């Protein structure tokens, strides 16, 4: 083992990886990545601003949308300093405590986003399948309780495995697979007993992301059954269109997760750059696309933004 490898192993500093073998292109890569982060921040802040300032948007659907936008904004804030730090050539090193903190926020916020998408699916289910009781079921107090429950689930469920990361012995070279920290990446470098973390993380994925996806699918089965019972074709189309933006958000969230999981599980022969690309898609694609989807597909948001921009231009 070289002296440089030994020094890496014996310190609590980890080396972040951008796109292996493409280091000379980092200045060029930094341009689209910087633009994407700018769109993530501006787009989600704009959605939050429109919802906050427009009194007519103060209803359950838009409360959940605001929580989704805030979650996407936090995902961007939790990774921007390491991703752009690597591409700009500022630093490829990150301390153990900072890496564990970033791991907590990345995975915790992903769990939060999954819970918000489930809450939005339940909102659509009530609005279409039981519209007469919509306001009595989704009261402001219940919406607040749901949002708090989502946050508590995300914040507390992941703590056991995150805390254990601090006490692991990392004896392998501290070279991470991405330009940000992930739980499975840190486990790969640990020489301690990681069985609890592996089994707990698997159970957590099943009980959160997978369960949320199944419940979302079930809710849309009931929604589709209700919509098909409507006699008027125009009314059917109108009802389905109210779900279109949410369906797009669900696909935008779950497809990158499935892709990253498949690459980690079955793509060991693939180039490290493919792994790096899928990792960046996993953290950037949903925060980038969600404000675009809801700005284009949600009539209330779209009209308020047009009105807001027209006033600014005068």
């Amino acid at each position: 083992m070289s002296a440089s490898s030994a020094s890496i192993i014996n310190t609590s500093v980890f080396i972040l990886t951008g796109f292996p073998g493409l280091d000379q292109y980092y200045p060029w890569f930094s341009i689209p990545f910087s633009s994407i982060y700018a769109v993530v921040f501006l787009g989600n802040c704009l959605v939050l601003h429109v919802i906050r300032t427009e009194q007519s948007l103060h209803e359950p659907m838009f409360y959940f949308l605001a929580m989704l936008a805030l979650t996407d904004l936090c995902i961007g804030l939790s990774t921007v300093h390491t991703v752009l730090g690597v591409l700009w050539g500022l630093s490829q090193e990150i301390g153990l405590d900072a890496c564990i903190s970033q791991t907590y926020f990345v995975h915790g916020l992903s769990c939060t986003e999954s819970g918000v998408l489930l809450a939005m699916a339940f909102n659509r289910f009530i609005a279409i399948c039981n519209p007469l009781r919509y306001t009595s079921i989704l009261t402001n107090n219940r919406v607040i309780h749901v949002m708090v429950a989502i946050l508590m689930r995300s914040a507390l469920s992941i703590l056991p495995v995150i805390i254990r990361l601090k006490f692991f012995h990392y004896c392998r070279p501290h070279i991470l697979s991405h330009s940000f920290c992930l739980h499975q990446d840190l486990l790969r470098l640990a020489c301690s007993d990681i069985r609890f973390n592996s089994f707990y993380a698997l159970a957590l994925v099943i009980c959160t992301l997978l369960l949320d996806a199944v419940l979302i699918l079930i809710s849309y089965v009931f929604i589709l059954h209700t919509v098909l019972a409507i006699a008027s074709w125009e009314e059917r189309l109108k009802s389905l269109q109210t779900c279109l933006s949410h369906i797009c958000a669900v696909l935008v969230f779950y497809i990158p997760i499935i892709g990253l999981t498949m690459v980690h599980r079955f793509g060991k022969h693939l180039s490290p750059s493919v792994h790096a690309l899928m990792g960046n898609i996993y953290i950037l694609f949903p925060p980038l696309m969600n404000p675009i989807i809801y700005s284009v597909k949600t009539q209330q948001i779209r009209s308020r933004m047009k009105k807001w921009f027209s006033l600014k231009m005068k």
Side-chain angles (χ1 to χ4, degrees), residues 191-202:
C191 295
S192 305
D193 185 357
I194 63 171
R195 287 176 296 178
F196 172 80
N197 276 55
S198 297
F199 289 127
Y200 187 95
L202 177 61

Side-chain angles (χ1 to χ4, degrees), residues 17-300:
T17 302
F19 295 89
L22 301 175
D23 304 50
Q24 67 272 25
Y25 300 111
Y26 282 3
W28 295 103
F29 290 165
S30 67
I31 297 174
F33 274 87
S34 299
S35 301
I36 288 172
Y37 272 108
V39 173
V40 167
F41 296 142
L42 292 175
N44 286 289
C45 285
L46 185 57
V47 170
L48 287 169
H49 175 72
V50 171
I51 294 174
R52 184 182 68 86
T53 55
E54 292 294 336
Q55 189 67 32
S56 61
L57 301 184
H58 293 181
E59 57 182 75
M61 172 185 171
F62 296 104
Y63 291 149
F64 292 133
L65 177 56
M67 189 175 182
L68 183 67
L70 185 60
T71 302
D72 287 337
L73 189 61
C74 291
I75 289 176
L77 291 172
S78 66
T79 58
V80 62
H81 61 290
T82 55
V83 174
L84 294 186
V86 171
L87 295 179
W88 285 345
L90 299 177
S91 176
Q92 286 188 261
E93 296 183 349
I94 184 170
L96 176 60
D97 291 341
C99 192
I100 292 175
S101 298
Q102 188 177 57
T103 300
Y104 174 74
F105 282 108
V106 169
H107 291 291
L109 289 168
S110 293
C111 183
T112 301
E113 183 144 351
S114 177
V116 174
L117 290 173
L118 175 59
M120 295 174 81
F122 179 72
N123 174 76
R124 289 293 85 209
F125 167 75
I126 298 298
I128 293 175
C129 299
N130 203 348
L132 298 180
R133 296 188 59 201
Y134 179 82
T135 55
S136 62
I137 294 175
L138 287 178
T139 62
N140 286 340
N141 284 337
R142 284 178 179 167
V143 170
I144 292 172
H145 291 158
V146 169
M147 295 168 74
V148 170
I150 292 171
L151 290 175
M152 294 298 290
R153 183 187 75 163
S154 305
L156 299 180
S157 62
I158 197 175
L159 273 180
V161 291
I162 294 297
I163 292 173
R164 282 176 57 87
L165 290 175
K166 175 67 176 176
F167 303 100
F168 283 164
H169 176 53
Y170 299 96
C171 63
R172 299 184 177 89
H174 294 184
I175 302 175
L176 301 171
S177 302
H178 304 286
S179 50
F180 52 91
C181 298
L182 292 175
H183 175 258
Q184 58 266 37
D185 217 8
L186 287 173
L187 289 189
R188 181 178 57 84
L189 305 180
C191 295
S192 305
D193 185 357
I194 63 171
R195 287 176 296 178
F196 172 80
N197 276 55
S198 297
F199 289 127
Y200 187 95
L202 177 61
L204 193 61
V205 169
I206 294 173
C207 295
T208 55
L209 299 183
L210 183 58
L211 179 60
D212 289 350
V214 171
L215 292 176
I216 290 172
L217 180 61
I218 292 173
S219 69
Y220 272 101
V221 170
F222 284 109
I223 288 172
L224 187 60
H225 180 266
T226 301
V227 169
L228 292 178
I230 300 174
S232 171
W233 173 256
E234 289 77 11
E235 289 298 321
R236 290 184 190 177
L237 188 60
K238 184 179 178 181
S239 297
L240 290 176
Q241 282 179 339
T242 63
C243 301
L244 187 57
S245 54
H246 179 256
I247 293 172
C248 291
V250 170
L251 294 176
V252 159
F253 176 73
Y254 281 101
I255 289 177
I257 289 180
I258 295 171
L260 182 63
T261 302
M262 297 296 286
V263 166
H264 274 292
R265 180 66 180 85
F266 303 107
K268 293 181 174 59
H269 62 286
L270 296 175
S271 167
S273 295
V274 176
H275 289 256
L277 178 62
M278 288 304 302
N280 283 291
I281 290 175
Y282 161 67
I283 62 165
L284 285 177
F285 194 58
L288 172 67
M289 293 305 299
N290 282 336
I292 297 174
I293 290 170
Y294 279 96
S295 298
V296 173
K297 296 296 183 182
T298 306
Q299 190 272 332
Q300 296 96 321

